[in-house]
Amino acid sequence: MERAEGIRNFVDGAFVEPTGGQYLDNIEPATGKPYSEVPDSDGRDVELAVTAAEKAFPEWSRTPAADRSRILLRIADLIERDLEKLARAESIDTGKPLSLARNLDIPRAASNFRFFATAILHTENEAHVTEGVAFNYTLRQPRGLVGLISPWNLPLYLLSWKIAPAIACGNTAIAKPSELTPMTAYLLCAISREAGLPDGVLNIVHGTGPKVGQPITAHLKVNTISFTGGTVTGKKVAETCAPMFKKVSLELGGKNPNIVFADADLDAAITGSVRSSFANQGQVCLCGSRVFVERSAYESFVDRFLEKTSQLKVGDPLEATTDQGAIVSKTQLEKVKFYVGLAQQEGGKIALGGSVPPAPNERCKEGYFFPPTVIKDLPVSCRVNREEIFGPVVSITPFDSEEEVIGYANDCDYGLASSVWTQNLNRAHRVAEQIHTGTVWVNCWLVRDLRVPFGGMKQSGVGREGGNEALHFFTEPKNICIAK
Ligand code: TXE
């Protein structure tokens, strides 16, 4: 692979070197080799970005919504124009199949910009008349300088899900993508400049969590933080922000139950469960990593689930026939292998996969590959069924009653998402109301309407993204009360 263009920080509308002149290797997961470099920035670079964002804020926050909307719509159009380039960059950077980046990640990034570009044209302000006394109206104003920190699994999809509402609402932003997958964030900068986004509205500082993420979260002038990543890091972000009374949104990990009742449409349940188990190599916080099947359907489901899963092709992410690409990093691959080993110690039986496959081709002989893996017979509350693996590994467990499976589903430190497969409408409503997750999909998975609240409870995070939740998060409500 030819060495890709060097990534630079984007500050005040210009591409700049990191102050310290240091760079990190950016590894291609499919080959295990460096293919580009990413700025190893530090607090000095964050300071430059904050200064730029502060300078841009007065003008941008006063820019009419119609003008902000036009620029964000242009960004969406340019993302679509550059779809192939962005999809290829995302695939190379993350190891995900090019087909997945082309069909999911990049189109959703365009949708994120388009959604919030139009949402700000239709917001309503509340008014309350205190009869005979006063007239109240609620003004929602931009918060100011916001910090946006995003993870490596869906890089442009999740970063744009923060940038779009933040700047649509009139804030200016300092964003930090994961150091593992910086490329599409870098490519977005030229797109935003071409779309006419004023200098300093969006600033992107590349680098590690401790050297760049932490200074962003700790900066006195950054009063709002939107974070997506692991629960451990989420706690560090919360610890930093709490004493500074910052507004924080935390979108963290998940250990999502996928519940299949015997009365389900099993064809749909199996197709949907294979997808929810292994999409993006299982590296989606919404993946259904704990599969529960009603006992009377268990054997049949397992046989057909294994058969369909065995048809998934692990391969070079750039090849059109690939269903499963590479795991994002050597560290993440080791984490997946650790949990597969632990599963066997905890009594699990590997029904499919479980060990590193042969390299898909010469180019990828040192890549980070792991096959879709299915584990049976695990104790319900063992570590593998409680801890987030974030890889292509699921457990399948039978259950005997609705009450029992709801108890299994809720006996979890996370509460992000769940799926329920049943053709009994009453049961669907009854079970969905009792499961402690922020999203419950019934007879589907990853159906996403951008207007709905998105997020989790317990250790899956705090707050919600999407729709009005995002518009409210990135604005400050003010009650103005005028005496009669
Ligand atoms: O995420 P991190 P990692 C889970 C998954 C994964 C685990 C760790 O289980 O194995 O999290 O993954 C930045 N202050 N998810 O290590 O560390 C970091 O640079 C401020 C679920 O990749 O949480 C990156 O930009 N920022 C998740 C971002 O935080 C800090 C998706 C996320 O990195 C920081 C990804 C700090 N102290 C992983 N330390 C989901 N919910 O989708 C790091 N960062």
Side-chain angles (χ1 to χ4, degrees):
M1 165 83 53
E2 71 286 350
R3 198 160 177 88
E5 59 186 288
I7 295 171
R8 296 291 178 268
N9 290 336
F10 185 65
V11 177
D12 203 14
F15 290 104
V16 295
E17 308 271 349
T19 307
Q22 299 302 307
Y23 286 83
L24 302 164
D25 276 340
N26 185 24
I27 308 286
E28 180 181 5
T31 64
K33 294 189 172 61
Y35 85 99
S36 69
E37 55 185 20
V38 57
D40 186 12
S41 311
D42 59 37
R44 294 170 295 177
D45 304 292
V46 169
E47 200 54 47
L48 293 172
V50 168
T51 302
E54 190 176 29
K55 186 175 71 172
F57 180 71
E59 185 67 32
W60 182 247
S61 59
R62 286 197 300 268
T63 301
D67 294 342
R68 298 201 300 264
S69 174
R70 183 175 44 75
I71 293 170
L72 266 71
L73 285 172
R74 181 77 181 121
I75 291 175
D77 292 344
L78 293 176
I79 288 173
E80 286 174 343
R81 178 199 67 188
D82 296 352
L83 170 68
E84 202 50 39
K85 177 182 178 185
L86 290 165
R88 183 176 172 82
E90 200 72 296
S91 172
I92 292 169
D93 224 13
T94 60
K96 74 177 70 198
L98 175 55
S99 57
L100 181 65
R102 183 186 292 128
N103 297 324
L104 176 72
D105 295 69
I106 307 308
R108 171 62 191 274
S111 300
N112 288 341
F113 278 99
R114 195 161 283 131
F115 177 86
F116 289 105
T118 50
I120 57 172
L121 302 178
H122 306 287
T123 52
E124 295 176 354
N125 294 70
E126 293 176 319
H128 299 85
V129 176
T130 313
E131 285 186 15
V133 176
F135 170 76
N136 300 272
Y137 64 98
T138 302
L139 206 53
R140 284 197 164 275
Q141 297 176 304
R143 291 264 312 160
L145 277 58
V146 303
L148 311 175
I149 299 173
S150 54
W152 46 257
N153 58 326
L154 302 164
L156 194 59
Y157 175 130
L158 290 175
L159 182 60
S160 59
W161 188 228
K162 298 174 187 299
I163 291 175
I167 64 177
C169 292
N171 302 290
T172 54
I174 301 98
K176 192 204 86 67
S178 172
E179 58 277 25
L180 299 179
T181 54
M183 189 57 77
T184 46
Y186 166 64
L187 296 174
L188 177 67
C189 299
I191 284 176
S192 61
R193 193 165 61 176
E194 183 182 351
L197 192 67
D199 296 348
V201 173
L202 173 62
N203 304 278
I204 295 190
V205 182
H206 293 276
T208 65
K211 289 177 67 176
V212 177
Q214 174 66 18
I216 291 173
T217 54
H219 202 289
L220 278 172
K221 291 180 177 176
V222 177
N223 64 18
T224 308
I225 298 291
S226 176
F227 172 83
T228 297
T231 294
V232 171
T233 307
K235 285 177 184 170
K236 292 179 192 166
V237 172
E239 282 162 3
T240 301
C241 294
M244 302 176 80
F245 299 103
K246 296 193 179 197
K247 196 172 184 181
V248 182
S249 159
L250 298 173
E251 187 49 65
L252 308 177
K255 191 70 179 182
N256 308 308
N258 174 18
I259 301 168
V260 182
F261 286 94
D263 67 5
D265 170 346
L266 283 184
D267 290 342
I270 284 157
T271 301
S273 298
V274 169
R275 187 167 159 259
S276 69
S277 297
F278 304 112
N280 201 43
Q281 299 70 244
Q283 297 168 136
V284 182
C285 53
L286 301 166
C287 279
S289 51
R290 294 186 290 150
V291 184
F292 296 104
V293 182
E294 192 165 15
R295 196 173 297 277
S296 58
Y298 180 75
E299 291 304 332
S300 159
F301 178 92
V302 170
D303 291 346
R304 293 176 59 191
F305 182 80
L306 294 177
E307 169 55 31
K308 194 157 183 69
T309 301
S310 65
Q311 292 163 15
L312 293 175
K313 184 175 179 298
V314 178
D316 184 334
L318 297 180
E319 286 175 4
T321 54
T322 292
D323 301 305
Q324 297 282 295
I327 303 295
V328 73
S329 68
K330 190 160 184 52
T331 303
Q332 195 61 25
L333 175 62
E334 292 308 314
K335 178 176 180 180
V336 171
K337 289 158 70 175
F338 164 77
Y339 276 104
V340 172
L342 177 62
Q344 295 171 76
Q345 292 168 29
E346 293 186 312
K349 302 282 182 304
I350 306 290
L352 188 71
S355 54
V356 174
N361 59 24
E362 183 57 24
R363 183 180 96 87
C364 297
K365 64 181 185 305
E366 291 173 46
Y368 312 133
F369 292 90
F370 202 83
T373 296
V374 182
I375 303 168
K376 291 172 53 181
D377 304 341
L378 272 172
V380 164
S381 56
C382 68
R383 281 187 61 189
V384 170
N385 267 335
R386 301 192 66 82
E387 298 173 18
E388 186 180 54
I389 299 171
F390 222 68
V393 181
V394 298
S395 63
I396 301 192
T397 307
F399 68 87
D400 293 301
S401 73
E402 200 173 288
E403 293 69 25
E404 183 185 53
V405 74
I406 290 170
Y408 289 164
N410 290 337
D411 178 22
C412 177
D413 296 333
Y414 295 98
L416 188 56
S418 52
S419 286
V420 179
W421 301 87
T422 177
Q423 296 186 86
N424 177 328
L425 197 55
N426 293 331
R427 166 179 280 161
H429 288 292
R430 195 171 53 236
V431 173
E433 285 165 14
Q434 296 177 74
I435 295 183
H436 303 157
T437 57
T439 295
V440 182
W441 280 293
V442 177
N443 298 332
C444 61
W445 180 71
L446 206 61
V447 171
R448 295 282 295 111
D449 183 313
L450 301 190
R451 293 168 295 181
V452 304
F454 174 82
M457 48 187 87
K458 299 194 270 186
Q459 297 210 13
S460 290
V462 177
R464 293 291 185 271
E465 296 189 285
N468 281 332
E469 299 284 340
L471 297 179
H472 287 182
F473 177 74
F474 286 113
T475 53
E476 188 72 40
K478 177 187 289 178
N479 168 31
I480 298 176
C481 176
I482 301 178
K484 286 277 186 194

